[in-house]
Amino acid sequence: MDNLRHFFGLKKDPFPQNIPVRDLYPLPSLAPLEKRVFFAIEQKAISVITGDVGAGKSTSLRYVMSKCHSSEYHQIPIVGGAYSLMELYRQILLSFGVHFRSYQISVIIKQIRELLLEIVSRKMVPLLVIDEAHLLKQNVFTQLHTLIQFEYDSQPVMPVILCGQDLLLDHLMANSARPLASRVLGRSHLEALRKEVMIEYLGHHLKLAGSTKNIFSEDSIFAIHQSSGGLLRKANFLAKTAMMAAAMEESYMVTPEHVRIASTEIL
């Protein structure tokens, strides 16, 4: 990457994975997603975010969570896996720094409820955020609603954000998950970028990296858009690898051929 920066006269790595929230390109989907999520949060309901692999789900989630001020919200972030309900509850307790030895799910639920009510007593909102939620086992979707029920379901306490691939909707549409799905208020689906947006997106990242000139030809941007299907992660990898291919040929302009070469380097 040092050679790449030097060759193109950049100050930073282009298309980084750990880009600060303040530097994120304002995707057209972000504003409506933020409104839907916060509406669900205000109603203590469940918000669902879906999208294809590499569509920018986790990045969009990070953006929305950055809007939840720590003085108002206590975030409980979980990265999904092939967890059973018991394993998920243990992950929630671990997020509080609690190591619980009991194998009785009723005892664990009681402990989590006490922690949630303690948060509420401080005039804060406990917010459960599960990324990669499509990986969770079906029995999680069958029973998760029992954790967020208080006072015979008359006192909603903890809003939930579920983020994952389209399989997440299949889990929620199962008949056994109807009690949980009935609490969903706001669904956001991240679409692939249009070509016009891709042009602005690539330009935005090059500017952040310190570029003062055009590096991608119009045809190369079209090739990146076509090859990536408009998906952000693949577009990032294609752009960065195509720049490396151009640098190796000592070309200051990325061409469609460089994008073709890049497409053979990634899956």
Side-chain angles (χ1 to χ4, degrees), residues 30 74 83 122:
L30 281 182
H74 182 108
Y83 302 143
R122 292 188 274 118

Side-chain angles (χ1 to χ4, degrees), residues 20-32:
V21 169
R22 66 178 182 276
D23 290 336
L24 289 174
Y25 174 76
L27 296 169
S29 60
L30 281 182

